[in-house]
């Protein structure tokens, strides 16, 4: 009997395997079989932030993008600022079923080609050279392919049959080599601090051989890689926490033609169908709102006719509370979508959904579910991002006081690594590398990094002012002492937190205006090796003034300075557009801070008037037109701010002269700001706005045709969470002012998306906010701990060409999907408060 069933099983397995189709080139230009997608430079390396672990040859394996970075690279484990190849050509040959990509490293005048073609269930990847590897890169250039650590760690692998296990943490062997042998990094910067040794670190291989079988213990992750050349496995996390496991073959020196060839066979589970992703709001629902789950389905999956809602009773038992039809919505990119409407269910309680074999986490129906959606952001995320302060929470130190040594003038003609640069002059009274006094006060860390991005900080203060003026939240859960440079979370101190947060932002910005004379672009790192810092911000620099007369790492006798060139720099090229934005913000801040901190309010108003005059003159005198063009966008909303602050009718004229043309030119872009003006203008203005609100309603309805979620879904390399909160705020305001045009049912779409009703998985995008399952990992400054900072809203759903959406929740390191920014998260606060107040009306 036993023998018989084994025999049948073998027969069945053989039948399945012979039926499983081979990899084929599809219409979208990648190789496909059920469970396996092999993409060849559908996403080329961009070079902007360099290696983002999003490019080259990629494999989406049973729905998860577990392999990327396939390309000729110059390092055993490339870091984010190592050189990436430029794609010079990409030819998809549908007849020959091949994809060929040309790659070039300009700096080294080094060209190569990679050809990928299907061989049954595998692909053959070959590297071709028309000229030999340049001598300086011999032994350095190789073909690399990278595997996602969180999907492989603790799993087994076989090398030429010998068993091994992928390490959970980076603990392999390294060697050091002289800096002279280091391949150039981005713009000539260095990602590492060599501590005076003159040497860089290179990881040594974990294993080497000709046949690697990865994850034989996990059929969804199993991949076989074979080659006539030697393949080595490295752990990229040895150099950078965001490194991946790298398989690599060094290109042979002095050879041309086909120099390396690999066969890569990703296993496909026979008959695999992706598990349905049932999207619902992890925050739950208020009783009278629409309640619609969106179910994301494999196109090969059969849609179930019905779904149900189950109630968890007070004694722990479960009963079906509602059952209803599932309606097919249709295809959107890779998957098929269906909706399940359970609006009729309104009794408060604890529920979960059942669709086929899927049982979701639980959610609540109750009038109070949205009451606390902004609390984690305002009580934790915002204060944790306060610069120049020590931030404590109960037993925990989030960070000590950073940058005690202050900021130096950035030298002219500095091409920076975080999208900034210092122009040919300083535009200030300071010499290159001279200390600019008084800048180490106030301000907010930009995002997952620690610079003070001036534009973002201006937006933050404006967002906080908007919050204060619209909602007057007196919430006091944070102790802030600028004198002690000390913040303690969850300790009320008698002052509304928002006013303290506004004050903290203004302190830095007003110091910039006073000390520099205008707004800096950014206060940022001078060296790349501390820009990628993770952990306590107080340790980024040594806190001692840089003295070039001392040797690096040497301290002065008085202990106040050091020879380590780690001090932060102020990038001070003047941009009058930024000065104007600051002038608007200072005007608003002066009215909000007048009672709380009259001295600071006066300083802000003085800078507002001065910057406004100077910047206006500079822009008028500008013959190149670059300032005017750059700053055309916001003029009418700026005029509104100035009108509210000063009541000067000339600003009202400027506003009305700007708003109507803007509404004609970009109706969806301008409507939010136009609605914001209603409380300050007369009834005629509101009536004149009506047809534009009707257009906006049509836009809201058109989104329901565009995708199954009814919100704008961004396709950029920074996911569109901010677009969704902006949309949510505008829909709420449109409904509040024109309820006859924009019905209340539309206001619930943005929160549903934010809290779990979206593609890929159904976790809330906001850290620690959402009942059963908020996201677990974010790209905060604690990302090395695979953690989060509560209240962070992730950008969310990242699009990868040509048809893949993703949001890793076991790997925090892709900023485009998991970072939070100070402007974005204060935008989330505005959305949250607007939504909550709209519900109350
Ligand atoms: Ca930054
Ligand atoms: Ca407080
Ligand atoms: Ca220093």
């Amino acid at each position: 009997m036993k023998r018989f069933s084994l025999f049948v099983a073998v027969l069945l397995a053989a039948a399945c395997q012979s039926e499983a189709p081979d990899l084929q080139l599809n219409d979208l230009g990648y190789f496909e079989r059920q469970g396996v997608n092999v993409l060849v430079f559908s996403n080329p390396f961009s070079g902007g932030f360099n290696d983002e672990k999003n490019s080259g040859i990629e494999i989406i394996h049973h729905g998860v993008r577990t392999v990327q970075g396939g390309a000729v690279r110059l390092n055993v484990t490339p870091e984010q600022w190592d050189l990436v190849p430029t794609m010079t050509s990409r030819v998809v040959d549908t007849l020959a079923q091949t994809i060929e990509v040309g790659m070039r490293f300009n700096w080294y005048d080094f060209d190569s080609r990679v050809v990928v073609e299907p061989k049954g269930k595998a692909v053959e990847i070959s590297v071709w050279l028309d000229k030999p590897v340049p001598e300086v890169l011999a032994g350095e250039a190789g073909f690399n392919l990278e595997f996602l650590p969180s999907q492989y760690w603790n799993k087994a692998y076989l090398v030429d049959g010998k068993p091994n296990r992928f390490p959970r943490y980076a603990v392999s062997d390294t060697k050091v080599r002289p800096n002279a042998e280091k391949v150039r990094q981005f713009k000539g910067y260095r990602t590492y601090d060599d501590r005076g040794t003159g040497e860089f670190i290179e990881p040594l291989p974990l294993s080497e051989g000709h046949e690697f079988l990865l994850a034989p213990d996990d059929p969804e992750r199993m991949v076989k890689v074979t080659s006539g050349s030697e393949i080595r496995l490295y752990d990229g996390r040895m150099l950078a926490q965001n490194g991946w496991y790298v398989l690599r073959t060094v290109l042979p020196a002095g050879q041309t033609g086909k120099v390396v060839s690999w066969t890569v066979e990703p296993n496909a589970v026979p008959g695999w169908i992706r598990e349905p992703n049932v999207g619902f709001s992890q925050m739950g629902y208020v009783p009278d709102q629409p309640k619609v789950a969106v179910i994301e389905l494999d196109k090969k999956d059969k849609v179930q006719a019905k779904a149900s809602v189950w109630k968890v009773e007070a004694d722990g038992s479960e009963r079906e509370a509602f059952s209803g039809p599932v309606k097919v919505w249709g295809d959107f990119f890779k998957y098929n979508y269906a909706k399940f409407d359970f609006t009729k269910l309104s009794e408060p309680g604890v529920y979960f959904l059942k669709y086929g074999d899927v049982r979701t986490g639980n959610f609540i129906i109750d009038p109070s579910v949205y009451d606390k959606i902004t609390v984690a952001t305002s009580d934790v995320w915002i204060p944790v991002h306060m610069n120049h302060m020590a931030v404590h929470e109960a037993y925990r130190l989030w960070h000590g006081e950073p940058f005690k040594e202050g900021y130096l003038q950035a030298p002219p003609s500095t091409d920076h690594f975080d999208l900034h640069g210092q122009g040919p002059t300083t535009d200030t009274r300071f010499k290159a590398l001279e200390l600019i006094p008084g800048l180490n006060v106030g301000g907010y860390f930009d995002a997952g990094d620690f610079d003070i991005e001036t534009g973002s900080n201006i937006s933050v203060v404006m967002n906080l002012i908007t919050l204060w003026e619209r909602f007057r939240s007196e919430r006091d859960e944070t102790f802030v002492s600028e004198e002690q440079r000390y913040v303690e979370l969850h300790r009320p101190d008698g002052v509304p937190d928002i006013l303290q947060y506004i004050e903290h932002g203004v302190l830095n910005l007003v110091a910039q205006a006073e000390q520099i004379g205008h707004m800096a672009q950014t206060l940022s790192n001078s060296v790349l090796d501390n820009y990628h810092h993770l952990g306590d911000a107080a340790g980024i620099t040594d806190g001692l003034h840089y003295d070039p007369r001392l040797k690096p790492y040497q301290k002065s006798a008085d202990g106040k300075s050091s020879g380590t060139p780690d001090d932060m720099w102020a990038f001070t090229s003047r941009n009058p557009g930024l000065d104007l934005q600051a002038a608007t913000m200072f005007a608003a801040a002066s009215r909000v801070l007048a009672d709380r901190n009259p001295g600071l309010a006066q300083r802000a108003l003085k800078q507002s008037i001065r910057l406004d005059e100077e910047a206006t003159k500079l822009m008028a005198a500008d013959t190149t037109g670059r300032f005017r063009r750059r700053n055309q966008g916001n003029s009418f909303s700026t005029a509104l701010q100035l009108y509210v602050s000063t009541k000067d009718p000339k600003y009202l004229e400027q506003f009305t002269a700007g708003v109507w043309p803007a509404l004609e030119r970009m109706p969806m872009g301008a409507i939010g700001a136009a609605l914001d003006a209603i409380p300050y203008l007369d009834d005629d203005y509101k009536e004149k706005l009506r047809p534009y609100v009707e257009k906006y309603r049509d836009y809201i309805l058109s989104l329901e045709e565009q995708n199954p979620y009814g919100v704008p879904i961004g396709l950029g390399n920074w996911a569109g969470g901010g677009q969704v909160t902006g949309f949510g705020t505008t829909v709420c305001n449109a409904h509040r002012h024109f309820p006859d045009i924009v019905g209340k049912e539309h206001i619930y779409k943005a929160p549903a998306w934010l809290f779990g009703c979206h593609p890929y998985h159904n976790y809330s995008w906001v850290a620690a906010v959402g009942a059963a399952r908020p996201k677990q990992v974010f790209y905060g400054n604690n990302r090395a701990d695979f953690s989060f900072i509560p209240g962070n809203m992730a950008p969310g759903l990242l699009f990868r060409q040509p048809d893949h959406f993703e949001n890793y929740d076991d790997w925090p390191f892709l900023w485009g999907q998991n970072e939070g920014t100070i402007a974005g998260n204060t935008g989330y606060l505005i959305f949250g408060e607007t939504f909550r107040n709209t519900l109350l009306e």
Side-chain angles (χ1 to χ4, degrees):
M1 189 65 194
K2 217 171 190 181
R3 182 173 293 178
F4 174 75
S5 19
L6 186 68
F7 176 68
V8 171
V10 169
L11 267 187
L12 279 172
C16 281
Q17 263 169 23
S18 65
E19 275 168 23
D22 291 342
L23 278 167
Q24 284 182 342
L25 187 60
N26 68 15
D27 294 347
L28 295 166
Y30 63 82
F31 301 104
E32 182 179 21
R33 60 192 284 236
Q34 182 68 9
V36 177
N37 303 156
V38 180
L39 282 63
V40 182
F41 280 70
S42 293
N43 299 288
F45 295 90
S46 76
F49 272 74
N50 282 271
D51 183 4
E52 306 145 14
K53 309 294 180 193
N54 269 331
S55 315
I57 297 170
E58 303 173 86
I59 298 174
I60 298 166
H61 205 182
H62 299 101
V64 183
R65 194 171 58 96
T66 51
V67 179
Q68 56 75 43
V72 168
R73 301 300 303 269
L74 309 181
N75 313 80
V76 296
T77 62
E79 293 176 65
Q80 194 163 343
W81 292 275
D82 280 318
L83 296 186
V84 293
T86 310
M87 185 171 80
T88 52
S89 62
R90 180 173 184 268
V91 179
V92 180
D93 187 333
T94 47
L95 273 181
Q97 290 267 304
T98 60
I99 302 178
E100 176 172 332
V101 169
M103 289 171 285
R104 177 171 173 78
F105 291 94
N106 253 331
W107 182 263
Y108 288 105
D109 188 22
F110 172 39
D111 287 282
S112 57
R113 286 179 287 132
V114 65
V115 179
V116 181
E117 60 184 309
K119 292 278 164 79
K121 293 167 179 50
V123 285
E124 186 189 325
I125 303 175
S126 329
V127 179
W128 292 75
L129 297 178
D130 297 330
K131 286 194 281 181
V133 174
E135 215 165 298
V136 65
L137 294 179
E140 311 289 341
F143 178 76
N144 290 18
L145 192 63
E146 306 199 352
F147 292 76
L148 180 59
S150 53
Q151 289 289 327
Y152 279 94
W153 61 41
N154 291 344
K155 287 175 188 160
Y157 66 95
L158 304 178
V159 188
D160 298 331
K162 183 186 175 312
N164 289 280
R165 195 170 293 286
F166 282 104
R168 175 63 184 82
Y169 197 85
V171 283
S172 59
D173 298 345
T174 58
K175 65 176 178 180
V176 287
R177 296 173 60 189
N179 282 338
E181 293 176 17
K182 177 79 179 173
V183 172
R184 180 183 167 84
Q185 295 190 284
F186 181 60
K187 293 181 181 176
Y189 285 103
R190 272 190 197 157
T191 50
Y192 59 100
D193 174 0
D194 71 5
R195 302 310 295 177
T197 62
E199 292 170 329
F200 70 98
I201 302 167
E202 190 169 277
L204 290 167
L206 294 165
S207 303
E208 42 206 77
H210 291 269
E211 181 182 290
F212 276 79
L213 185 65
L214 311 182
D217 48 345
D218 181 352
E220 291 197 1
R221 294 291 162 264
M222 185 162 78
V223 179
K224 187 160 88 177
V225 183
T226 53
S227 177
S229 313
E230 186 182 67
I231 304 173
R232 293 175 181 165
L233 171 65
Y234 293 91
D235 190 337
R237 298 172 299 168
M238 296 300 291
L239 294 185
Q241 273 79 3
N242 63 352
W244 291 34
Y245 298 123
V246 180
L247 285 183
R248 168 178 173 85
T249 291
V250 173
L251 304 189
Q255 290 186 21
T256 56
K258 190 201 254 190
V259 294
V260 167
S261 172
W262 285 11
T263 303
V264 177
E265 183 178 343
N267 182 54
V269 175
W272 178 81
I273 284 182
R274 183 174 179 261
E275 186 178 293
N277 168 34
V278 179
F280 68 99
S281 168
Q282 298 274 355
M283 283 312 298
Y285 304 86
V286 291
D288 65 350
Q289 79 165 93
K291 303 172 196 73
V292 181
V294 179
I295 304 162
E296 181 179 62
L297 293 159
D298 199 309
K299 280 180 184 167
K300 286 193 159 46
D301 203 352
K302 193 171 165 288
V303 183
Q304 307 277 328
K306 290 194 143 198
S308 54
V309 191
W310 288 62
K311 187 167 190 210
V312 181
E313 300 287 8
D315 62 357
S317 65
E318 296 163 353
R319 69 165 173 89
E320 187 177 287
F322 179 81
S323 161
V326 171
K327 289 188 183 149
V328 174
W329 183 89
D331 292 350
F332 178 64
F333 289 97
K334 193 182 269 178
Y335 299 119
N336 182 31
Y337 292 83
K339 292 188 181 188
F340 167 52
D341 190 324
F342 54 101
T343 304
K344 280 186 187 148
L345 197 66
S346 61
E347 186 198 342
V350 180
Y351 298 90
F352 60 89
L353 299 168
K354 271 192 186 178
Y355 170 81
D357 296 334
V358 177
R359 173 194 162 131
T360 68
N362 70 60
F363 60 88
I364 286 170
I365 296 180
D366 193 77
S368 69
V369 293
Y370 298 116
D371 285 3
K372 293 186 174 164
I373 57 175
T374 58
V375 168
T377 310
S378 71
D379 290 4
V380 183
W381 201 91
I382 301 287
V384 165
H385 285 73
M386 288 174 121
N387 201 340
H388 305 119
M389 307 287 264
V391 180
H392 288 256
E393 179 182 27
Y395 291 9
R396 176 183 196 169
L397 172 73
W398 276 95
H399 61 79
E401 183 192 333
F403 314 129
K404 286 181 179 168
E405 68 266 71
Y407 296 80
L408 307 183
Q409 169 67 57
S413 305
T414 301
D415 197 3
H416 195 234
F417 35 80
D418 189 14
L419 308 177
H420 293 283
Q422 181 67 41
T425 58
T426 63
D427 290 353
T428 68
R429 61 196 160 92
F430 299 98
K431 293 197 290 286
L433 300 183
E434 189 179 344
L435 177 73
I436 303 178
L439 295 181
N440 56 334
V441 62
Y444 291 92
F445 302 141
D446 176 32
D449 52 359
F450 302 89
D451 55 319
I452 291 193
E453 187 89 31
T454 301
S456 299
N457 271 261
I458 292 171
S459 307
V460 165
V461 174
M462 282 309 301
N463 283 347
L464 294 167
I465 290 171
T466 300
L467 276 165
W468 176 253
E469 296 199 319
R470 283 197 197 150
F471 309 111
R472 289 276 154 179
S473 166
E474 307 260 343
R475 188 174 178 81
D476 173 21
E477 275 293 325
T478 312
F479 171 94
V480 181
S481 168
E482 296 290 346
E483 212 177 294
Q484 296 175 23
R485 297 198 167 219
Y486 194 96
V487 176
E488 187 170 4
L489 312 187
H490 317 306
R491 172 188 286 279
D493 63 359
V495 185
D497 298 337
I498 289 191
L499 287 181
Q500 288 169 310
Y501 299 163
I502 292 169
E503 193 172 32
H504 192 72
V506 171
L507 276 169
N508 184 267
L509 295 166
V510 92
Q512 287 189 23
E514 289 173 347
Q515 302 296 336
I516 296 169
H518 55 268
M519 304 315 291
Q521 296 173 50
T522 178
L523 310 180
S524 189
N525 306 74
S526 57
V527 284
L528 181 54
D529 68 65
N530 67 25
Y531 173 66
H532 50 57
H533 178 89
L534 295 174
D536 187 349
I540 296 174
T541 63
D542 62 9
L544 308 172
H545 292 292
Y546 171 52
D547 182 345
R549 293 168 302 183
L550 298 165
K551 289 187 195 126
Y553 315 106
Q554 189 189 2
K555 279 183 198 168
S556 63
D558 67 2
K560 286 183 180 161
S561 41
S562 82
T564 307
D566 65 358
D567 296 20
M568 302 282 278
W569 288 353
F571 289 81
T572 54
S573 293
R574 187 161 199 176
N575 172 4
L578 196 61
D579 291 349
L580 276 188
Q581 286 172 33
T584 308
M585 174 274 301
F586 283 140
S590 71
R591 70 178 182 249
V592 168
L593 293 175
D595 294 335
R596 155 92 192 132
N597 188 337
L600 186 61
Q602 268 173 15
R603 287 165 64 198
L605 189 60
K606 185 175 165 191
Q607 295 306 320
S608 175
I609 292 163
R610 183 179 66 80
L611 287 176
D612 188 48
E613 282 173 13
E614 289 183 16
T616 307
K617 272 186 205 151
L618 278 170
M619 286 171 82
D622 171 37
T623 49
T624 63
R626 76 199 155 105
F627 294 145
R628 194 173 302 279
R629 259 203 314 281
R630 196 191 301 172
N631 300 298
Q632 220 166 23
N634 287 330
S635 53
F636 74 92
S637 49
T638 302
L640 177 70
Q641 275 306 319
L642 287 169
Y643 173 66
V644 176
S645 277
T646 63
K647 294 286 176 292
D648 185 335
K650 85 171 175 204
Y651 293 122
L652 185 59
E653 279 163 33
Q654 279 176 19
F655 172 76
T656 40
V659 68
W660 303 114
L663 281 166
E664 287 300 325
R665 211 170 47 241
M666 38 162 202
M668 301 316 136
I671 188 75
L675 289 164
D676 287 346
I678 287 175
Y680 308 105
L681 282 95
D682 57 18
D683 288 350
D684 287 352
Y685 172 77
K686 190 177 169 184
E687 262 327 284
K688 208 174 158 190
L689 211 49
R690 182 168 281 276
Y692 298 99
V693 179
E694 281 164 353
K695 268 192 207 167
Y696 191 64
R697 186 245 349 255
D698 295 345
Y699 164 71
I700 296 170
L701 293 173
S702 76
L703 288 172
E704 289 187 27
E705 308 290 316
Q706 284 175 27
N707 68 65
Y709 300 92
V711 300
I713 295 178
L715 303 180
N717 72 343
W718 181 276
Q723 258 170 279
V724 176
T725 50
F727 169 76
T729 303
T730 304
V731 170
C732 284
N733 285 333
H735 166 70
R736 287 165 67 209
H737 294 298
F738 298 93
D740 55 322
I741 303 175
V742 175
K744 196 169 187 181
E745 67 276 16
H746 300 298
I747 71 168
Y748 302 100
K749 292 173 180 174
W753 171 275
L754 291 174
F755 300 132
C757 190
H758 52 67
Y760 198 72
H761 52 59
N762 64 7
Y763 313 150
S764 164
W765 298 129
V766 189
V769 177
R773 185 58 163 83
K775 261 178 69 60
Q776 309 266 22
V777 302
F778 288 74
Y779 185 105
N781 57 41
N782 58 353
R783 57 191 177 274
D785 304 317
F786 288 72
S787 189
F788 56 87
I789 302 175
N792 187 27
M793 183 192 78
L797 190 73
L798 187 70
F799 181 65
R800 308 310 304 145
Q801 292 288 356
D803 65 347
H804 184 67
F805 284 105
E806 80 183 8
N807 180 276
Y808 289 130
D809 198 40
D810 57 356
W811 190 251
F813 296 106
L814 296 192
W815 42 263
Q817 37 183 287
N818 283 331
E819 195 166 6
T821 66
I822 185 72
N825 281 329
T826 48
Y828 168 75
L829 284 182
I830 292 183
F831 160 72
E833 291 304 303
T834 307
F835 174 67
R836 287 196 322 110
N837 281 275
T838 309
L839 280 182
L840 296 174
E841 278 168 8

